[in-house]
Amino acid sequence: MKNVSKYTRQFFEAPKTAMKWTERSYVDKAPTWCSVDLRDGNQALVIPMGLGEKLEFFKVLVDIGFKEIEIGFPAASETEYDFCRTLIEDDLIPDDVTIQVLTQSREHIIEKTFEALRGCKNAIVHLYNSTSVAQREQVFRKSREEIIDIAVSGAKLCKEYREKYEGNYRFEYSPESFTGTEPEFALEICNAVLDVWKPAPEDKVIINLPVTVQLSMPHVYANQVEYMCENLKYRENVIVSLHPHNDRGCAVADTEMGLLAGAERVEGTLFGNGERTGNVDIITLAMNMYTQGVDPQLDLSDIPAINEVYSRLTGMAVNERQPYTGKLVFAAFSGSHQDAIAKGMKWRAEGHTDRWSVPYLPLDPEDIGREYSADVIRINSQSGKGGIGYILETRFGYDLPKKMREKLGYIVKDVSDKKHKELLPDEVYGIFKQRFVDITSPICVTETHFVQRDGIEATVSFDYNGKRVTATDTGNGRLDAVSNALRSYTGADFNINAYTEHALEVGSASKAVSYVEIVTGTGRSYWGTGIDNDIITSSIKALVSAVNNMLGDKS
């Protein structure tokens, strides 16, 4: 590509650390989650949410289980201010939930922020100012010392105003654009703020290390976080928080590695909504923990419902391949994948394990409100017999013989290929019924009688090409006798090659379903299925269906 020479690495390596985070292989406990959907997420929308929409979204976040929710920037607009006041005055904030508000380091903004919080039981005042080289040089044109003064003066003002208002107010500081800031300077300015606030066991302070713009690979960020964790003053009374954006597509990796490096708190959004490429997706992070046996302390058991509210209120759509939450993330179109999933589900149903280990499915879809039949096995021209058989068995109760599943599989794939579309389960079932079940042309059996005479003698009455006829023959069983009678009358060359049966429904109203395969003298195979309350009748229907398929084959 052209112009590559104008780009350079804008991040700063942390001073050498022990990289202790590399010794851990997974996040073993849930962090404190803080949703920033109503601030960072909302300001990224083409049409920001109105008051009613924000109130509904807030309730959803509470129901999911967030205990810290950043509700906005009260001094930025009347809508933001009114939202904060409505939550407080209408007593909409549960006692165990803390709201968080953002403020710049300017006195009139800090003053209005505390006014907005008047009467709030629990709140976090989130102070920030930009610290990166690019911001210092290009936006503020200030020295390091001047940038520190901005932060320290804001910290002092926050402390002064807290003393004027009743309520449990905690503090948070973010060196905005942390990833473009020299780690030594980020540490210096954070420690200067901490010296003002003097965190204590009963008054801990949050130091937030935002990936305002993603500039490096995740391990670089992890080293920066570890450096800060090891060198911050008052460390035992400081909560280190992460706030990653996704410019390089690494927000989840940044966050997980940052947690391994010592952070205890995460700010993010549902589905990753946020400026540019978005914030870190808290749902993905939480489900990553869940699928490794760690309780994320969030209720994500009905993802479709959360998706519906999110899409309606924000106007944003969840990508079909979004981890865990997209419509197609559990979908298997590949025949080999479908077969492996079907066998894995059967192995699990047989009681071999109570642990989840189904091939190609890192998560049980039912745990987040999804359905196997609708979400997992999807049928198109790439599908195979395993998936098609799985749908017929789980949705409709038909346990097809293996060779019959293969036969049906080719038929279904051909239909999908010619129509250039995915086939829904009902369409697959329709193809199965049309091609194999109770086929009554050109032969339609109307009556069958059996007599025990040197084996079983069958007298079969049937319509054949519009003519009512009767044929009699013997066999070593009822089905064999009917087969011989049909063969002797029609002159067709075939033999029964396979027969299976099972109950289609459980209980007194159960029906019998039978499957018959016949093979011609030239080796061609034909299948039929019969359904009836009587097992003998269902087997005869299956045989006749197979014979009709043979007689109707023009190939």
Side-chain angles (χ1 to χ4, degrees):
M1 291 177 65
K2 296 180 180 179
N3 303 321
V4 67
S5 61
K6 75 179 182 183
Y7 295 98
T8 186
R9 287 172 287 280
Q10 299 181 56
F11 63 87
F12 297 89
E13 293 275 5
K16 189 168 181 61
T17 65
M19 295 182 68
K20 296 176 183 176
W21 62 270
T22 62
E23 299 172 5
R24 302 174 62 193
S25 58
Y26 65 98
V27 178
D28 58 5
K29 66 178 180 178
T32 299
W33 301 109
C34 177
S35 161
V36 295
D37 288 270
L38 296 170
R39 196 275 299 175
D40 218 345
N42 186 55
Q43 74 182 31
L45 299 177
V46 176
I47 303 175
M49 288 181 278
L51 178 59
E53 292 167 324
K54 294 185 80 170
L55 289 171
E56 184 178 354
F57 207 121
F58 180 82
K59 184 179 184 305
V60 169
L61 294 171
V62 170
D63 290 343
I64 289 172
F66 286 97
K67 301 305 180 185
E68 296 182 3
I69 301 171
E70 188 167 81
I71 63 167
F73 199 144
S77 71
E78 286 307 308
T79 300
E80 299 282 283
Y81 186 91
D82 290 344
F83 177 47
C84 183
R85 293 308 309 156
T86 300
L87 288 173
I88 296 169
E89 292 171 5
D90 291 358
D91 196 24
L92 299 176
I93 308 170
D95 290 343
D96 63 344
V97 172
T98 300
I99 61 170
Q100 179 172 301
V101 293
L102 192 68
T103 180
Q104 294 174 333
S105 185
R106 301 166 67 183
E107 183 166 8
H108 72 283
I109 293 177
I110 292 172
E111 181 181 14
K112 188 163 186 178
T113 299
F114 276 90
E115 286 179 8
L117 290 173
R118 186 177 63 257
C120 184
K121 297 176 185 176
N122 300 293
I124 297 169
V125 177
H126 183 182
L127 176 72
Y128 78 97
N129 67 307
S130 294
T131 61
S132 68
V133 173
Q135 294 269 16
R136 296 196 318 255
E137 292 179 348
Q138 301 171 37
V139 180
F140 299 102
R141 301 195 177 194
K142 292 183 180 294
S143 66
R144 284 187 176 191
E145 291 72 21
E146 291 172 308
I147 295 296
I148 291 175
D149 285 344
I150 292 173
V152 169
S153 64
K156 290 178 179 177
L157 287 167
C158 286
K159 193 171 183 179
E160 290 173 14
Y161 277 94
R162 180 169 70 170
E163 294 173 359
K164 299 177 183 180
Y165 290 85
E166 292 184 3
N168 178 28
Y169 297 146
R170 296 158 53 206
F171 292 140
E172 174 178 350
Y173 174 69
S174 287
E176 192 201 6
S177 301
F178 167 76
T179 47
T181 304
E182 308 91 331
E184 299 92 338
F185 178 57
L187 179 66
E188 183 181 1
I189 195 169
C190 287
N191 279 334
V193 169
L194 290 172
D195 281 335
V196 174
W197 286 341
K198 299 191 183 306
E202 68 282 357
D203 185 25
K204 292 188 176 183
V205 167
I206 300 166
I207 292 294
N208 190 48
L209 305 177
V211 184
T212 308
V213 179
Q214 211 164 48
L215 301 173
S216 69
M217 295 175 69
H219 73 284
V220 175
Y221 180 60
N223 287 339
Q224 294 167 339
V225 171
E226 183 170 285
Y227 170 74
M228 296 293 287
C229 287
E230 291 183 345
N231 292 282
L232 284 168
K233 292 184 177 180
Y234 314 96
R235 181 65 183 94
E236 68 279 7
N237 297 320
V238 171
I239 299 167
V240 176
S241 177
L242 309 175
H243 182 115
H245 284 247
N246 199 39
D247 301 271
R248 289 170 55 95
C250 300
V252 169
D254 276 350
T255 307
E256 291 182 329
M257 290 188 182
L259 290 171
L260 294 179
E264 304 124 302
R265 182 177 184 269
V266 172
E267 296 184 349
T269 61
L270 301 180
F271 305 106
N273 177 42
E275 293 175 297
R276 302 182 309 279
T277 55
N279 288 52
V280 69
D281 179 5
I282 284 182
I283 294 179
T284 297
L285 289 169
M287 295 311 302
N288 283 355
M289 295 178 191
Y290 180 78
T291 55
Q292 293 192 341
V294 177
D295 186 352
Q297 302 295 313
L298 294 174
D299 183 3
L300 301 173
S301 58
D302 193 352
I303 289 293
I306 298 172
N307 189 336
E308 185 279 325
V309 175
Y310 164 82
S311 299
R312 174 166 50 83
L313 297 181
T314 66
M316 302 287 286
V318 177
N319 188 279
E320 291 181 335
R321 298 295 183 185
Q322 180 100 344
Y324 300 108
T325 55
K327 288 184 178 179
L328 295 179
V329 296
F330 298 114
F333 292 104
S334 162
S336 61
H337 288 204
Q338 292 175 346
D339 185 59
I341 291 171
K343 289 175 179 175
M345 295 294 292
K346 185 174 183 179
W347 190 79
R348 179 176 173 79
E350 291 169 350
H352 294 289
T353 180
D354 60 353
R355 301 289 182 178
W356 185 261
S357 60
V358 176
Y360 298 110
L361 289 182
L363 169 70
D364 184 345
E366 290 189 345
D367 286 348
I368 57 172
R370 303 285 289 271
E371 297 179 3
Y372 294 117
S373 55
D375 293 313
V376 178
I377 305 298
R378 306 282 291 269
I379 304 302
N380 65 12
S381 60
Q382 305 301 309
S383 304
K385 62 182 185 296
I388 293 166
Y390 179 80
I391 283 180
L392 287 176
E393 182 174 1
T394 58
R395 283 288 291 268
F396 304 104
Y398 293 89
D399 185 10
L400 274 61
K402 182 178 179 181
K403 288 174 64 179
M404 190 179 187
R405 289 201 305 268
E406 185 174 352
K407 188 95 168 183
L408 176 63
Y410 285 117
I411 295 171
V412 170
K413 289 199 295 182
D414 185 60
V415 172
S416 175
D417 188 37
K418 288 176 178 175
K419 290 187 175 183
H420 299 288
K421 59 171 288 201
E422 177 187 356
L423 299 179
L424 299 176
D426 285 344
E427 292 177 289
V428 174
Y429 179 53
I431 294 169
F432 167 64
K433 286 189 67 177
Q434 179 187 11
R435 298 296 184 95
F436 295 103
V437 180
D438 296 343
I439 309 299
T440 57
S441 178
I443 294 176
C444 179
V445 173
T446 58
E447 199 171 355
T448 307
H449 296 283
F450 299 100
V451 177
Q452 183 77 38
R453 185 180 295 140
D454 295 328
I456 298 293
E457 180 182 273
T459 299
V460 185
S461 298
F462 56 98
D463 294 331
Y464 182 46
N465 290 330
K467 180 182 177 182
R468 178 64 57 87
V469 299
T470 299
T472 300
D473 213 323
T474 59
N476 55 20
R478 287 180 171 83
L479 191 61
D480 186 49
V482 173
S483 174
N484 291 337
L486 294 177
R487 188 171 57 200
S488 64
Y489 184 87
T490 62
D493 181 15
F494 69 88
N495 287 294
I496 296 175
N497 188 59
Y499 170 76
T500 60
E501 63 188 48
H502 64 78
L504 188 58
E505 301 172 56
V506 177
S508 59
S510 65
K511 292 184 177 181
V513 57
S514 300
Y515 309 96
V516 169
E517 180 194 26
I518 62 173
V519 176
T520 68
T522 59
R524 293 183 67 86
S525 168
Y526 297 90
W527 282 90
T529 300
I531 305 170
D532 198 88
N533 293 324
D534 178 70
I535 187 63
I536 298 300
T537 304
S538 77
S539 65
I540 293 171
K541 286 182 175 181
L543 170 65
V544 172
S545 295
V547 173
N548 281 332
N549 278 333
M550 176 193 65
L551 295 175
D553 187 1
K554 308 299 182 184
S555 60

